Amino acid sequence: HLEANRPAPARWFAQEAVRRQPSVDGWRLLAATCRLLGDQPTADAALDLADVLGTSPRLWMNLQSTYDLAEATRRRSAA
């Protein structure tokens, strides 16, 4: 079992990637990692990123929403 306050190793790696080079691509990496682990980037993840990067959690939630909308649009256009 993982410690309650420590992320899964894959999630930790993704969070570290974002911390070292904050970017939309970094957030996409974290989002993809979370999905592979069977969950979604959550408000908790946004709070963690905001703490590590000194940003607003709203920034990360907005990036996820923007990404989700772009993906839905892409899927709909491909259908």
Side-chain angles (χ1 to χ4, degrees):
H1 256 131
L2 297 172
E3 294 176 33
N5 293 330
R6 292 192 65 194
R11 185 174 293 124
W12 176 88
F13 176 78
Q15 287 172 331
E16 275 296 297
V18 171
R19 184 183 70 76
R20 289 171 190 248
Q21 187 165 8
S23 67
V24 173
D25 288 336
W27 178 253
R28 287 180 182 149
L29 171 65
L30 179 58
T33 301
C34 288
R35 286 188 184 99
L36 287 172
L37 294 172
D39 63 358
Q40 294 289 322
T42 62
D44 287 329
L47 288 168
D48 291 342
L49 288 166
D51 286 345
V52 169
L53 298 170
T55 62
S56 161
R58 175 118 3 240
L59 167 72
W60 301 104
M61 296 302 290
N62 287 342
L63 284 172
Q64 184 61 42
S65 294
T66 300
Y67 176 77
D68 291 343
L69 182 59
E71 284 297 297
T73 301
R74 182 189 61 77
R75 285 191 305 273
R76 192 171 278 190
S77 294

